[in-house]
Amino acid sequence: MTLAERIASYRATLEEWLRGLYHGMISHPAYEKIEAEAEDLEDEFMLACFPDAFGVPSPVSYYTAELLPYLQDEFEAWERRLWDRSTLVERKGQQYHF
Amino acid sequence: MDRYVFFGGKGGVGKTTVSSAYAYKCAAAGLETLLVSTDPAHSVGDLFEQSFDDDPRAVEGVEHLSAMEIDPDEEVSRHLQDVKRKLSDQVSAAMVNAVDRQIEMAHGTPGAYEAALFDRFVDVMRDGDAYDRIVFDTSPTGGTLRLLSLPEYLEGWIDRLLAKRRKSIDLFEKAAIGGREPRRVLEGDPVLAHLRARKEFFEDAGRMLREDAAFFLVFNPDSLSIRETERAIDRLDEQGLSVRGLVANRFTPAPDPDEEGRGATYLRSRVETERERLETARGELSPPILATIETYVEEVRTDRLASVADELEIDVDRTRRPTS
């Protein structure tokens, strides 16, 4: 193995490590955070559409029921999430990696 | 232009008689007229002694007049079937249950009835190209008023839903850095498409109600009915819909001057109070009273309709709809 090849393979490894480090420290938590935020917004949307799922009567659920065929996966996931979610702090705290 | 004419008022004041008489008047003036009843008790059929259903059908014996009766219950269950069918088209059977329960629940809420009626109203107005005039004999006051205030309220509400949905999808797209597949995409999102279609529907409804509709209220000469009418006028005003005129129905006929006895005395004093109440109504209510109709001893049927129609001083605008 020539010196040039050794340097190249060393650099490749280093680059991979750095990318991994960057991914782990910066980009992964970042998009996880954004995704969690998006999820929260989606939850808000679902709650606005189907408050009666939690016992709050809604005069417009007749119309929002029309959306359910397209939202069925989200609906089930959302219902589970909301029943499980104990506090807002717990939910917001999840995104921090200590 | 008054393509759509609504008759409202408290239960039992004679909306059906008045709206039928108006429709009859329009038809007699040569306008192709459709009479739509939304009262689940369906008295239009009784009045014409024919049966009507959900589809417009020509009224026998009256030219240019068609009638239909909307059953909100049926509308709700049809909507329920519709949504369920779409659901089973989209989903595997295992997923359906939780969502199914939600759909059933949505169709059991008090608002469902009104929403179904509203949808049907708007459909009739939208598909009413064959008619020069559509006359609605509405269900009693409270329900109807809420119905007419729906478009504005729902438009704003849908706007907020659209904004929320757009924002969350936008974030999902942003979260997909480095070539990951975003969990949801803005392009072709069926929920957004559906909300937009609904919004358009409400906008259409709002426009038709504000621009092409006229509202009349029917009341009886008693103080309860007059107060209710006053409230109805205020509430319609709040929606930006002005009441064109009032029709006072069920006046007691006066006895002949030479008649004496208990019956005649009773009638005379009744006529007197009713006249006073009518004066009060004239003074306190701002829309003009366009007709005062006497009580008929027998139920009004087709043959009597013409004479009721004559008493209605609502001007039938004889111009036909411009054919575009």
Side-chain angles (χ1 to χ4, degrees):
Chain A
M1 206 185 264
T2 63
L3 184 64
E5 276 170 347
R6 278 170 62 195
I7 291 175
S9 89
Y10 174 74
R11 285 187 58 172
T13 317
L14 184 69
E15 210 174 296
E16 200 189 318
W17 271 83
L18 282 177
R19 204 184 305 129
L21 207 60
Y22 179 76
H23 176 82
M25 288 181 70
I26 313 285
S27 74
H28 184 74
Y31 67 60
E32 235 181 23
K33 231 184 245 179
I34 297 175
E35 214 158 65
E37 190 64 35
E39 248 172 40
D40 282 354
L41 264 171
E42 197 170 83
D43 288 354
E44 242 178 75
F45 171 83
M46 297 294 275
L47 191 63
C49 283
F50 312 108
D52 45 351
F54 294 90
V56 182
S58 157
V60 290
S61 49
Y62 180 83
Y63 290 117
T64 47
E66 290 168 5
L67 302 174
L68 279 168
Y70 313 105
L71 287 173
Q72 23 92 26
D73 297 340
E74 292 160 48
F75 182 79
E76 289 212 284
W78 167 74
E79 230 183 357
R80 238 187 343 263
R81 266 205 308 272
L82 282 210
W83 285 125
D84 293 346
R85 187 176 298 176
S86 41
T87 64
L88 188 66
V89 178
E90 177 263 323
R91 162 75 180 166
K92 291 283 176 197
Q94 269 179 16
Q95 18 182 302
Y96 298 103
H97 298 249
F98 294 111
Chain B
M1 218 187 97
D2 309 338
R3 270 206 70 196
Y4 316 109
V5 181
F6 290 83
F7 283 92
K10 217 160 76 69
V13 291
K15 289 186 295 296
T16 304
T17 310
V18 174
S19 51
S20 301
Y22 177 75
Y24 183 89
K25 205 175 156 105
C26 292
L31 295 167
E32 213 45 63
T33 308
L34 174 65
L35 175 63
V36 186
S37 159
T38 60
D39 196 339
H42 287 326
S43 27
V44 168
D46 294 340
L47 198 146
F48 289 103
E49 288 169 295
Q50 291 163 44
S51 60
F52 300 104
D53 56 19
D54 203 37
D55 290 313
R57 182 181 306 168
V59 176
E60 276 170 50
V62 187
E63 251 183 289
H64 303 300
L65 184 63
S66 308
M68 65 188 283
E69 293 179 336
I70 299 174
D71 184 351
D73 267 334
E74 226 169 83
E75 291 305 317
V76 172
S77 60
R78 176 154 51 195
H79 187 260
L80 180 72
Q81 293 310 321
D82 250 25
V83 177
K84 280 195 170 170
R85 194 168 35 73
K86 258 192 226 138
L87 185 71
S88 56
D89 285 352
Q90 299 269 333
V91 210
S92 63
M95 293 290 281
V96 172
N97 274 341
V99 177
D100 219 34
R101 211 172 42 238
Q102 175 65 27
I103 292 177
E104 300 258 356
M105 205 148 74
H107 287 79
T109 55
Y113 216 67
E114 283 165 356
L117 251 185
F118 179 77
D119 276 9
R120 198 76 180 96
F121 263 37
V122 179
D123 278 342
V124 170
M125 291 200 278
R126 270 180 157 185
D127 304 338
D129 280 343
Y131 302 98
D132 297 313
R133 182 138 321 168
I134 302 178
V135 181
F136 291 95
D137 170 21
T138 66
S139 42
T141 331
T144 311
L145 287 177
R146 285 199 28 206
L147 217 61
L148 298 175
S149 67
L150 273 177
E152 207 176 329
Y153 166 60
L154 289 175
E155 266 177 57
W157 171 79
I158 282 200
D159 269 340
R160 286 196 296 282
L161 279 189
L162 272 170
K164 277 205 176 89
R165 179 77 180 171
R166 231 182 264 126
K167 214 164 147 197
S168 77
I169 292 182
D170 183 51
L171 280 176
F172 274 123
E173 280 183 341
K174 284 193 178 123
I177 4 178
R180 285 166 77 242
E181 186 75 16
R183 237 201 282 178
R184 312 205 196 302
V185 282
L186 213 51
E187 185 91 356
D189 180 50
V191 174
L192 277 177
H194 194 94
L195 284 173
R196 269 196 215 106
R198 262 292 171 201
K199 189 176 176 224
E200 224 168 86
F201 181 86
F202 294 130
E203 278 169 352
D204 264 12
R207 194 170 27 72
M208 286 191 286
L209 285 175
R210 277 189 302 270
E211 290 171 12
D212 296 331
F215 302 91
F216 295 98
L217 293 175
V218 182
F219 71 99
N220 293 155
D222 61 68
S223 44
L224 205 70
S225 182
I226 292 173
R227 270 210 304 280
E228 172 100 15
T229 306
E230 198 175 350
R231 274 199 295 275
I233 295 169
D234 287 346
R235 287 191 52 188
L236 278 167
D237 246 9
E238 280 166 27
Q239 305 306 324
L241 308 167
S242 68
V243 177
R244 189 73 58 84
L246 306 172
V247 178
N249 191 20
R250 297 236 160 109
F251 277 92
T252 310
D256 290 333
D258 57 316
E259 280 182 88
E260 293 297 332
R262 277 181 65 197
T265 325
Y266 170 76
L267 284 182
R268 242 172 236 126
S269 76
R270 253 206 91 90
V271 167
E272 183 56 28
T273 21
E274 280 175 6
R275 203 185 49 75
E276 274 167 27
R277 290 206 180 115
L278 184 63
E279 284 315 308
T280 330
R282 262 191 231 282
E284 284 176 7
L285 307 176
S286 50
I289 294 171
L290 298 170
T292 52
I293 300 172
E294 264 189 16
T295 299
Y296 288 83
V297 180
E298 289 159 49
E299 306 268 289
V300 174
R301 297 263 185 259
T302 323
D303 46 336
R304 286 281 182 79
L305 218 48
S307 64
V308 180
D310 282 342
E311 290 180 56
L312 275 180
E313 280 163 50
I314 302 174
D315 205 22
V316 177
D317 172 12
R318 267 160 226 265
T319 48
R320 283 161 162 271
R321 186 167 51 84
T323 38
S324 51

